[in-house]
Amino acid sequence: MSDKEEFYEVISKSIIGVDNSKLADLVGDNYVHRIEAHRGNYRMSTQSTIISAYPIVARLVGDEYISGLAQKFVEEFPPKVATLTQYGDEFPEFLRKFAPVQKDLPWLSAVAELDRAWFFAYSAKDQVPLRVKDLQGKAALALPILAPCLVASASLLRFTVPAYSIWRTNKQDDEVKPVNLRKGAQWAVVWRKDNQINHQSLTQAEYVFLTNIEGGLSFANSYAEAVKYDKQFDLQRQFSHWLSAGLFKGDEKCAN
Amino acid sequence: MVDLSKLPLGAGLSLKPEHYDDAMVCSTDGMWFEIHPENYMVAGGPRLAWLQAFCNKFPMSFHGVGLSLGGPDRPDKEHLEQLKQLIDRFSPAMVSEHFAWSKLDNIYFADLLPPPVNDASLNRIVAHIEETQEYLGRTILIENPSLYLPVPGFEELPQIYVEAAKRSGAGLLFDLNNIAVCAANVDLSYQSWLDVVPGEMVAEVHLAGASPREIKQEVVLIDSHDAAVSELVWQILEQFIGEHGPKPVLIERDDNIPGFEELLIERDRAANIMSIIPQEITDV
Amino acid sequence: MNAPVKISIATGASLALALVAGAASADSMDKKKGGKEKCYGIALAGENGCGNLAKTHSCQGQSTVDYDVGEWKYVSKGTCADTVITDSDGNERNGMSKKQAKEAMKT
């Protein structure tokens, strides 16, 4: 028998709670209960990571419920790597499939996606965005063929529920506003410029436009795709904001 | 021999995001900070911007918690690579890890678990430290673990801890709270560590607070880093510094984090202990 | 998709005008803002530490008994009292109201 079987696996199984039976052989009957020091640490560290990484989900459902969700999540998806900053990517998907949430809070998984997009933007690669001065001095007709991509911190999201409204009001409003679920589908984008995280809702055509930019198409091609969804698509409405807020990547060519 | 010259022979603090603003403008003489590199293993953003700002201004120590050097498997390649990138980018004054394990078969326990105390385990840990030092291109320090469970052979833990460092060429990060925690929980006195640990191999000292917790009608002292340093640990520090001279001493605080000023008071107490010790008593 | 090729010159020109106008107005926005963003937000998610967490059981997951394998027994009761969410039947299902949450969420 090796250390692995006689030592590491015995402790490991005791910590994650699947099998305590061999611990007494290792540490003696009088000390088996002490594993709780390690077990408690494992549960607290992992669960508090999930809770702090999904602050709006936690706020919406309350302390007890989020702790229960985090516990179930940790059982199903224990952390694989030692960097807890990377832990919890699967939580929105877990919520989507978890029956009690599905039944009572069908919009919660979408809110979790926004929490994740925020955290992703927060820790994404630093990139120089496309700046106004990069465009100045270019022939007007050269602009439509630019295909800059979006910055690495950007996430484009679409929801069948008004998840962005729920998330946004809980994220930033002093007084939380009512949200009508009948509002239906929503689209949103989250990204970071320098140390500032930006987010906004999009029209479907704007979402299509940005999705195509992200896919490597030019402004002109992306515009043409967006017009298919909305003949009245007004690129002008948001373009200056996106540009000044650094949503487009600095290299003129998309790396994809 | 580990280069002791890069961290000040004075007291520092673990750096928490809650204190970034206050710490950045701290003008205390000889101040240095320690971070867990795992918390900075991100692609970019404010975290790394802060770290850059601190590295520009203060001597920094990178104190890893995730390599699982005491585990059955070799250090995780991806983790080593992320650590190397951080070290190459920020050139910290000191890099350290733990004489402990935290990973098995694709589960990370977010904990520092005691390794088996036997020859096979010693050989493995030496190999893991050597592999790490080779990969990083520098010497590291290893920290002694706390004990809650009397794992087989725990009485010899101080000996194999020192032996692993000697054989791998690593230095020691001697955590005085951990030896107090061991003494409270198992039959291993703090003096048995002080008797075995060679002062000249110690390149950094840790102090922290522990908390008692009741588990099944028994009070266990938890290495919680959520309280002020205990009087016993201050007394152990005085004894250790009295014998070996000033060292870089760090006050760790990971939970129940007070205001920066409160930590500075503890930090100054450590600095004072070293300032009254005659400078000629040094091992360096 | 070959839409780009088919885009008429007129469309291309008007799009170019739109982009140029957008750039100009972004330029003025930049200038108005002036100065650098000072805001260094911090997120505390995913903090590794090297202390054991000794907190006693504010959180359900910390029970000292073995795993709760029973039925899911939690009821959502949000800490922020005010987001009223009206569902498709027109009922106010207020997941977040402390006073109403329990009943609303059970249905």
Side-chain angles (χ1 to χ4, degrees):
Chain A
M1 292 284 270
S2 66
D3 276 344
K4 184 160 185 193
E5 292 153 323
E6 287 188 339
F7 186 91
Y8 294 105
E9 283 177 0
V10 171
I11 292 181
S12 153
K13 284 176 181 163
S14 303
I15 292 173
I16 58 172
V18 296
D19 178 15
N20 242 347
S21 61
K22 292 183 181 145
L23 191 61
D25 298 342
L26 201 62
V27 299
D29 286 331
N30 294 337
Y31 295 98
V32 169
H33 62 283
R34 299 254 191 108
I35 194 68
E36 192 55 39
H38 294 298
R39 188 185 285 186
N41 191 48
Y42 172 63
R43 293 190 193 173
M44 280 292 282
S45 301
T46 49
Q47 291 178 26
S48 63
T49 293
I50 296 305
I51 294 168
S52 55
Y54 291 91
I56 304 305
V57 172
R59 184 170 197 239
L60 283 164
V61 301
D63 291 345
E64 194 185 31
Y65 196 88
I66 189 68
S67 297
L69 287 177
Q71 181 184 349
K72 286 282 175 195
F73 175 76
V74 170
E75 285 170 33
E76 205 170 313
F77 297 92
K80 291 188 173 120
V81 295
T83 39
L84 290 176
T85 49
Q86 294 165 25
Y87 182 49
D89 277 343
E90 304 93 340
F91 192 59
E93 182 65 7
F94 163 82
L95 292 180
R96 199 175 62 75
K97 291 180 178 161
F98 187 55
V101 170
Q102 229 171 29
K103 176 168 160 280
D104 292 334
L105 310 163
W107 39 267
L108 195 63
S109 160
V111 173
E113 282 182 51
L114 280 152
D115 272 340
R116 202 57 179 170
W118 190 97
F119 190 65
F120 175 78
Y122 174 80
S123 50
K125 190 160 78 171
D126 301 305
Q127 265 178 348
V128 180
L130 187 68
R131 288 158 304 191
V132 178
K133 68 176 167 96
D134 299 328
L135 301 183
Q136 285 163 345
K138 267 192 200 308
L141 282 171
L143 292 183
I145 60 167
L146 289 182
C149 269
L150 303 185
V151 286
S153 62
S155 296
L156 288 163
L157 303 124
R158 62 173 170 179
F159 310 109
T160 55
V161 290
Y164 180 72
S165 298
I166 298 172
W167 183 79
R168 183 180 189 277
T169 191
N170 280 284
K171 184 91 184 163
Q172 63 184 43
D173 292 346
D174 291 335
E175 215 160 290
V176 177
K177 295 190 183 92
V179 175
N180 188 338
L181 278 183
R182 279 175 295 184
K183 226 169 147 185
Q186 278 189 328
W187 299 265
V189 59
V190 182
W191 76 102
R192 191 185 86 234
K193 186 195 182 196
D194 300 327
N195 292 312
Q196 180 70 45
I197 293 170
N198 302 300
H199 48 85
Q200 66 172 106
S201 67
L202 301 171
T203 64
Q204 186 181 20
E206 285 165 353
Y207 174 85
V208 169
F209 176 79
L210 292 177
T211 303
N212 282 295
I213 293 287
E214 177 63 357
L217 294 198
S218 66
F219 284 132
N221 292 4
S222 302
Y223 177 79
E225 290 301 312
V227 167
K228 289 180 189 169
Y229 287 85
D230 177 6
K231 287 202 178 63
Q232 309 301 312
F233 175 54
D234 178 12
L235 180 58
Q236 190 56 44
R237 200 177 79 89
Q238 287 296 339
F239 187 75
S240 60
H241 170 60
W242 292 336
L243 193 59
S244 68
L247 178 58
F248 305 113
K249 208 169 88 174
D251 311 324
E252 293 179 10
K253 281 276 178 291
C254 181
N256 294 349
Chain B
M1 180 56 60
V2 181
D3 181 8
L4 297 184
S5 64
K6 288 171 92 183
L7 275 182
L9 289 176
L13 284 173
S14 55
L15 178 64
K16 309 310 287 181
E18 291 88 335
H19 294 149
Y20 282 159
D21 284 319
D22 292 331
M24 181 49 81
V25 296
C26 172
S27 57
T28 306
D29 206 30
M31 190 62 173
W32 57 279
F33 290 104
E34 183 161 282
I35 55 110
H36 300 307
E38 286 76 7
N39 295 334
Y40 296 84
M41 289 178 179
V42 289
R47 269 297 168 90
L48 287 174
W50 272 112
L51 184 58
Q52 183 69 64
F54 276 96
C55 288
N56 291 345
K57 196 169 169 188
F58 298 97
M60 297 293 288
S61 163
F62 284 12
H63 182 48
V65 295
L67 264 183
S68 197
L69 294 171
D73 303 317
R74 291 171 55 193
D76 182 77
K77 272 270 177 287
E78 204 173 314
H79 194 87
L80 265 182
E81 176 56 27
Q82 286 181 294
L83 182 59
K84 182 175 165 55
Q85 283 178 16
L86 274 178
I87 290 169
D88 288 351
R89 175 167 169 190
F90 295 104
S91 303
M94 196 62 83
V95 176
S96 53
E97 249 291 349
H98 290 82
F99 189 87
W101 64 286
S102 54
K103 251 190 106 177
L104 187 72
D105 297 337
N106 239 358
I107 298 185
Y108 172 63
F109 299 105
D111 204 342
L112 296 158
L113 300 156
V117 182
N118 59 41
D119 284 344
S121 174
L122 174 61
N123 291 337
R124 263 195 312 267
I125 296 176
V126 169
H128 295 166
I129 298 171
E130 283 172 345
E131 181 175 345
T132 300
Q133 296 187 136
E134 201 164 307
Y135 196 89
L136 301 178
R138 62 187 289 163
T139 309
I140 63 168
L141 311 181
I142 50 169
E143 177 181 329
N144 52 302
S146 288
L147 285 176
Y148 310 113
L149 296 168
V151 294
F154 73 87
E155 302 86 347
E156 300 292 316
L157 185 60
Q159 283 80 4
I160 76 158
Y161 164 63
V162 172
E163 184 63 19
K166 279 185 179 161
R167 281 171 47 185
S168 61
L172 299 179
L173 193 173
F174 195 21
D175 189 313
L176 303 184
N177 180 55
N178 289 354
I179 69 176
V181 167
C182 287
N185 294 332
V186 300
D187 188 15
L188 183 63
S189 69
Y190 69 79
Q191 190 60 46
S192 61
W193 290 88
L194 294 171
D195 290 344
V196 167
V197 168
E200 74 277 5
M201 288 181 71
V202 175
E204 185 180 332
V205 169
H206 273 183
L207 309 178
S211 291
R213 179 178 156 193
E214 199 179 312
I215 302 176
K216 299 246 165 93
Q217 281 96 50
E218 184 198 32
V219 175
V220 178
L221 190 61
I222 304 287
D223 178 32
S224 52
H225 297 187
D226 66 350
V229 176
S230 71
E231 286 308 314
L232 173 63
V233 171
W234 285 117
Q235 187 193 314
I236 301 173
L237 178 71
E238 284 175 22
Q239 184 183 340
F240 183 78
I241 298 294
E243 280 173 36
H244 303 288
K247 299 282 184 188
V249 173
L250 184 91
I251 315 286
E252 290 186 291
R253 191 68 176 252
D254 285 310
D255 204 358
N256 190 22
I257 295 169
F260 188 69
E261 293 299 319
E262 200 176 316
L263 291 184
L264 268 185
I265 293 170
E266 286 192 286
R267 182 262 170 209
D268 290 346
R269 182 167 173 183
N272 283 338
I273 287 172
M274 287 187 283
S275 69
I276 57 171
I277 305 293
Q279 292 292 316
E280 57 268 27
I281 310 178
T282 71
D283 299 318
V284 187
Chain C
M1 294 200 201
N2 49 6
V5 187
K6 288 182 184 160
I7 225 172
S8 69
I9 290 175
T11 311
S14 68
L15 179 61
L17 278 176
L19 292 169
V20 171
S25 113
D27 198 25
S28 69
M29 278 166 76
D30 271 353
K31 279 177 184 145
K32 232 189 296 173
K33 240 200 245 163
K36 273 197 162 173
E37 286 287 347
K38 187 181 161 277
C39 169
Y40 271 21
I42 54 164
L44 296 175
E47 278 276 298
N48 285 78
C50 63
N52 277 54
L53 298 168
K55 282 187 192 126
T56 38
H57 320 302
S58 60
C59 123
Q60 284 285 321
Q62 293 318 298
S63 116
T64 47
V65 295
D66 276 339
Y67 264 25
D68 161 38
V69 288
E71 231 172 77
W72 182 255
K73 59 182 186 293
Y74 304 101
V75 175
S76 166
K77 39 189 168 194
T79 51
C80 60
D82 310 318
T83 301
V84 177
I85 296 184
T86 313
D87 73 11
S88 46
D89 310 322
N91 300 319
E92 282 192 356
R93 287 164 56 109
N94 187 343
M96 298 79 206
S97 150
K98 277 174 184 162
K99 46 184 195 275
Q100 296 172 353
K102 234 170 175 166
E103 287 317 304
M105 281 303 147
K106 275 181 184 164
T107 56

Short mmCIF file of all heavy atoms in Angstrom, two decimals, chain A residues 103-104, chain C residues 75-76 93 100-107:
data_model
loop_
_atom_site.label_atom_id
_atom_site.label_comp_id
_atom_site.label_asym_id
_atom_site.label_seq_id
_atom_site.Cartn_x
_atom_site.Cartn_y
_atom_site.Cartn_z
N LYS A 103 -37.68 25.82 -11.33
CA LYS A 103 -39.10 25.93 -11.04
C LYS A 103 -39.47 27.32 -10.49
O LYS A 103 -40.42 27.93 -10.94
CB LYS A 103 -39.46 24.84 -10.02
CG LYS A 103 -40.88 24.85 -9.53
CD LYS A 103 -41.18 23.57 -8.77
CE LYS A 103 -42.39 23.72 -7.86
NZ LYS A 103 -42.09 24.39 -6.60
N ASP A 104 -38.69 27.78 -9.52
CA ASP A 104 -39.08 28.99 -8.80
C ASP A 104 -38.45 30.28 -9.34
O ASP A 104 -39.04 31.35 -9.22
CB ASP A 104 -38.70 28.87 -7.32
CG ASP A 104 -39.53 27.82 -6.62
OD1 ASP A 104 -40.66 27.56 -7.09
OD2 ASP A 104 -39.06 27.25 -5.62
N VAL C 75 -35.64 28.22 0.93
CA VAL C 75 -36.60 29.10 0.30
C VAL C 75 -35.92 30.43 0.05
O VAL C 75 -35.27 30.97 0.93
CB VAL C 75 -37.82 29.30 1.21
CG1 VAL C 75 -38.77 30.32 0.60
CG2 VAL C 75 -38.52 27.98 1.45
N SER C 76 -36.05 30.90 -1.16
CA SER C 76 -35.41 32.17 -1.48
C SER C 76 -36.04 33.31 -0.70
O SER C 76 -37.24 33.50 -0.71
CB SER C 76 -35.54 32.43 -2.98
OG SER C 76 -35.22 33.76 -3.25
N ARG C 93 -44.77 38.19 -8.33
CA ARG C 93 -44.02 37.18 -7.59
C ARG C 93 -42.79 37.87 -7.05
O ARG C 93 -41.84 38.09 -7.77
CB ARG C 93 -43.61 36.04 -8.51
CG ARG C 93 -44.76 35.14 -8.92
CD ARG C 93 -44.35 34.31 -10.11
NE ARG C 93 -43.13 33.55 -9.82
CZ ARG C 93 -43.12 32.23 -9.65
NH1 ARG C 93 -44.22 31.54 -9.70
NH2 ARG C 93 -41.99 31.61 -9.42
N GLN C 100 -42.95 38.99 1.47
CA GLN C 100 -43.76 38.14 0.61
C GLN C 100 -43.01 36.94 0.05
O GLN C 100 -43.61 36.02 -0.48
CB GLN C 100 -44.27 38.95 -0.59
CG GLN C 100 -45.20 40.06 -0.17
CD GLN C 100 -45.54 40.95 -1.34
OE1 GLN C 100 -44.97 40.79 -2.42
NE2 GLN C 100 -46.47 41.86 -1.13
N ALA C 101 -41.71 36.98 0.18
CA ALA C 101 -40.91 36.03 -0.58
C ALA C 101 -41.30 34.58 -0.34
O ALA C 101 -41.49 33.82 -1.27
CB ALA C 101 -39.45 36.21 -0.22
N LYS C 102 -41.43 34.25 0.89
CA LYS C 102 -41.62 32.86 1.24
C LYS C 102 -42.79 32.25 0.47
O LYS C 102 -42.63 31.28 -0.25
CB LYS C 102 -41.87 32.74 2.74
CG LYS C 102 -40.90 31.78 3.37
CD LYS C 102 -40.97 31.84 4.87
CE LYS C 102 -40.08 30.75 5.42
NZ LYS C 102 -39.80 30.91 6.82
N GLU C 103 -43.94 32.87 0.59
CA GLU C 103 -45.13 32.32 -0.05
C GLU C 103 -44.98 32.36 -1.55
O GLU C 103 -45.26 31.39 -2.25
CB GLU C 103 -46.38 33.09 0.40
CG GLU C 103 -46.79 32.77 1.83
CD GLU C 103 -46.70 31.28 2.13
OE1 GLU C 103 -47.32 30.49 1.41
OE2 GLU C 103 -45.97 30.90 3.08
N ALA C 104 -44.53 33.50 -2.05
CA ALA C 104 -44.46 33.67 -3.50
C ALA C 104 -43.56 32.62 -4.13
O ALA C 104 -43.87 32.07 -5.19
CB ALA C 104 -43.95 35.06 -3.83
N MET C 105 -42.48 32.35 -3.47
CA MET C 105 -41.50 31.45 -4.07
C MET C 105 -41.89 29.99 -3.96
O MET C 105 -41.39 29.16 -4.67
CB MET C 105 -40.14 31.68 -3.41
CG MET C 105 -39.46 32.90 -3.95
SD MET C 105 -39.27 32.79 -5.72
CE MET C 105 -39.43 34.49 -6.17
N LYS C 106 -42.80 29.71 -3.06
CA LYS C 106 -43.22 28.30 -2.91
C LYS C 106 -44.14 27.89 -4.04
O LYS C 106 -44.24 26.72 -4.36
CB LYS C 106 -43.94 28.13 -1.57
CG LYS C 106 -42.97 27.88 -0.42
CD LYS C 106 -43.78 27.70 0.84
CE LYS C 106 -42.87 27.54 2.05
NZ LYS C 106 -43.62 27.76 3.29
N THR C 107 -44.82 28.86 -4.60
CA THR C 107 -45.82 28.50 -5.62
C THR C 107 -45.16 28.09 -6.91
O THR C 107 -44.07 28.49 -7.20
CB THR C 107 -46.76 29.69 -5.91
OG1 THR C 107 -45.94 30.79 -6.29
CG2 THR C 107 -47.57 30.02 -4.70
#
